[in-house]
């Protein structure tokens, strides 16, 4: 098999944050946004609560939960801190305080509260799940792996913990272990698009493009709007020399995500390479129209405008 260009081997791993508006058409994007807890575990009952419901700590806990429901996290923190001072073994108060610290993006304090919950109640799955996500966000794979692994020891069927464990293992350079966890996720849920996409990325890294294509197509079978799977499929088809196939996948992606400026810009670049210049111009203009007018997007706007100028220059030279 001929050697592929270095750009096709770059993997963009995204943890806990949305994908950026990258404009490269030569990257396989890893669908590694950590899964939400969703309905994996129901909220756990208050533990070590021997006090009457009317005691001050309980009243403060309920007040803190109400403030959180009203999106007043700062006020909730003050109330819940008072609650845990009065009842330091109150598991639910520490958990809700961790939630409040997350709301104000105080990751260090949120981790401290969830660690306290895990110490007081070792089988508190919700707290361990939040710890796994936060440690991954902090780029601490060792602690994230420990947290997700602890959940699986409690509940081996917790597929969100298993999926996220696979994501962290892959990022930590342990693809064989990650692959095993993605396969186990698919054994529980054969239509899990994220697991299929990440298996595709693993096969791509191993230069087995046909298996990568199979996994990306499996991801799209039940989740046709899965952007990373669609984009990665297009990139692999392009590596195989199937430009028409890649263009068709980008057209499908844009049909599902018409307001994504990065997609329009990438599609424009592919159209330009295929000699379809009038269509490329339209896509460049769509990318500019969809790109927010913010300082953060100025570099991307410059890139798109440069692509449009290069397109005009090539047309004038003909």
């Amino acid at each position: 098999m001929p050697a592929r260009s270095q750009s096709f081997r770059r993997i963009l791993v995204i943890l806990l944050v949305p994908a950026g508006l990258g404009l490269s058409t030569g990257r396989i994007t890893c669908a590694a946004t950590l899964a939400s807890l969703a309905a994996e575990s129901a909220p756990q009952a208050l533990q070590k609560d021997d006090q009457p419901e009317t005691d001050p700590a309980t009243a403060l806990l309920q007040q803190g939960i109400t403030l959180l429901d009203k999106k007043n996290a700062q006020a909730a923190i003050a109330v819940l801190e008072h609650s845990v001072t009065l009842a330091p073994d109150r598991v639910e108060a520490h958990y809700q305080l961790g939630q409040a610290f997350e709301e104000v993006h105080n990751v260090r304090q949120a981790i401290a509260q969830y660690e306290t919950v895990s110490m007081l109640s070792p089988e508190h799955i919700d707290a361990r799940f939040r710890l796994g996500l936060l440690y991954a966000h902090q780029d601490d794979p060792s602690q994230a792996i420990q947290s997700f692994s602890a959940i699986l020891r409690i509940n081996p069927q917790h597929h969100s913990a298993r999926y996220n464990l696979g994501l962290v293992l892959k990022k930590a350079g342990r693809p064989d272990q990650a692959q095993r966890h993605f396969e186990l996720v698919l054994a529980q849920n054969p239509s899990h698009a994220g697991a299929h996409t990440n298996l595709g990325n693993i096969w791509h890294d191993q230069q087995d493009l046909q298996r990568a294509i199979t996994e990306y197509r499996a991801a799209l079978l039940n989740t046709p709007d899965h952007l990373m799977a669609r984009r990665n499929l297009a990139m692999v088809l392009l590596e195989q020399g199937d430009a028409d196939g890649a263009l068709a996948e980008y057209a499908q992606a844009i049909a599902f995500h018409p307001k994504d400026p990065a997609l329009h810009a990438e599609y424009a670049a592919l159209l330009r390479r295929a000699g379809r210049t009038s269509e490329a111009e339209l896509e460049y203009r769509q990318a500019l129209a969809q790109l927010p007018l913010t300082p953060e997007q100025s570099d991307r706007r410059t890139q798109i405008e440069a692509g449009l100028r290069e397109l005009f220059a090539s047309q004038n030279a003909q």
Side-chain angles (χ1 to χ4, degrees):
M1 180 179 295
R4 281 178 285 279
S5 67
Q6 195 67 23
S7 62
F8 286 118
R9 299 178 187 171
R10 298 183 64 185
I11 298 296
L12 174 61
V13 178
I14 306 164
L15 296 175
L16 291 175
V17 294
L21 300 178
L23 300 178
S24 169
T25 60
R27 294 186 183 178
I28 295 296
T29 306
C30 179
T33 304
L34 294 187
S36 64
L37 182 58
E40 287 296 325
S41 54
Q44 301 188 3
L46 301 184
Q47 301 179 47
K48 301 191 176 182
D49 262 353
D50 296 325
Q51 300 95 330
E53 289 186 1
T54 55
D55 71 41
T58 298
L60 288 166
L61 170 58
Q62 294 303 322
Q63 184 183 350
I65 292 173
T66 299
L67 288 166
L68 273 175
D69 289 341
K70 293 180 177 179
K71 308 299 182 185
N72 191 348
Q74 288 288 4
I77 288 170
V79 169
L80 291 167
E81 285 183 327
H82 191 188
S83 178
V84 299
T85 299
L86 294 176
D89 290 344
R90 184 69 60 87
V91 171
E92 187 67 9
H94 284 288
Y95 181 76
Q96 294 297 334
L97 185 52
Q99 297 273 282
F101 278 124
E102 277 200 79
E103 287 292 322
V104 299
H105 310 293
N106 189 333
V107 174
R108 183 178 62 84
Q109 289 290 351
I111 286 175
Q113 293 304 317
Y114 294 141
E115 289 285 11
T116 299
V117 173
S118 297
M119 179 184 68
L120 294 171
S121 179
E123 295 194 355
H124 197 295
I125 288 178
D126 294 31
R128 291 193 181 276
F129 194 90
R130 298 310 307 169
L131 281 171
L133 296 180
L134 292 175
Y135 279 128
H137 181 79
Q138 294 288 88
D139 202 21
D140 189 342
S142 177
Q143 290 292 335
I145 289 167
Q146 286 185 35
S147 297
F148 292 131
S149 297
I151 294 173
L152 294 173
R153 286 193 294 272
I154 300 165
N155 177 14
Q157 304 305 311
H158 197 297
H159 77 266
S160 287
R162 191 173 296 284
Y163 174 64
N164 284 305
L165 178 56
L167 295 176
V168 177
L169 286 166
K170 185 177 185 302
K171 190 185 180 195
R174 295 154 66 177
D176 292 344
Q177 295 176 48
Q179 178 179 340
R180 176 60 179 157
H181 285 288
F182 292 140
E183 289 170 345
L184 287 171
V185 169
L186 290 171
Q188 295 175 269
N189 179 10
S191 62
H192 195 292
H196 279 299
T197 301
N198 280 280
L199 277 177
N201 293 340
I202 289 171
W203 289 123
H204 175 269
D205 290 345
Q206 297 176 9
Q207 301 184 14
D208 192 333
L209 299 190
Q210 201 53 52
R211 283 189 176 182
I213 288 172
T214 298
E215 293 297 338
Y216 296 143
R217 292 197 188 283
L220 294 166
L221 185 63
N222 292 296
T223 315
D225 62 341
H226 197 286
L227 179 55
M228 293 177 183
R230 184 76 66 182
R231 180 185 265 130
N232 291 358
L233 176 58
M235 291 299 99
V236 174
L237 291 173
L238 194 63
E239 287 187 60
Q240 289 189 324
D242 185 0
D244 289 341
L247 286 167
E249 295 302 331
Y250 262 96
Q252 283 286 324
I254 287 173
F256 286 111
H257 305 277
K259 295 185 178 181
D260 187 324
L263 274 179
H264 286 288
E266 292 166 9
Y267 189 33
L270 289 179
L271 287 166
R272 179 183 159 198
R273 287 173 58 178
R276 294 161 59 176
T277 55
S278 59
E279 295 171 80
E281 180 182 347
L282 288 174
E283 291 301 324
Y284 275 129
R285 294 195 183 283
Q286 276 293 324
L288 290 171
Q290 298 298 337
L291 194 67
L293 291 170
T294 61
E296 293 79 12
Q297 301 298 336
S298 61
D299 288 344
R300 294 186 174 96
R301 181 170 294 277
T302 298
Q303 287 179 284
I304 297 170
E305 290 172 343
L308 193 55
R309 285 195 300 272
E310 291 171 6
L311 177 65
F312 290 151
S314 65
Q315 287 175 322
N316 293 333
Q318 290 177 356

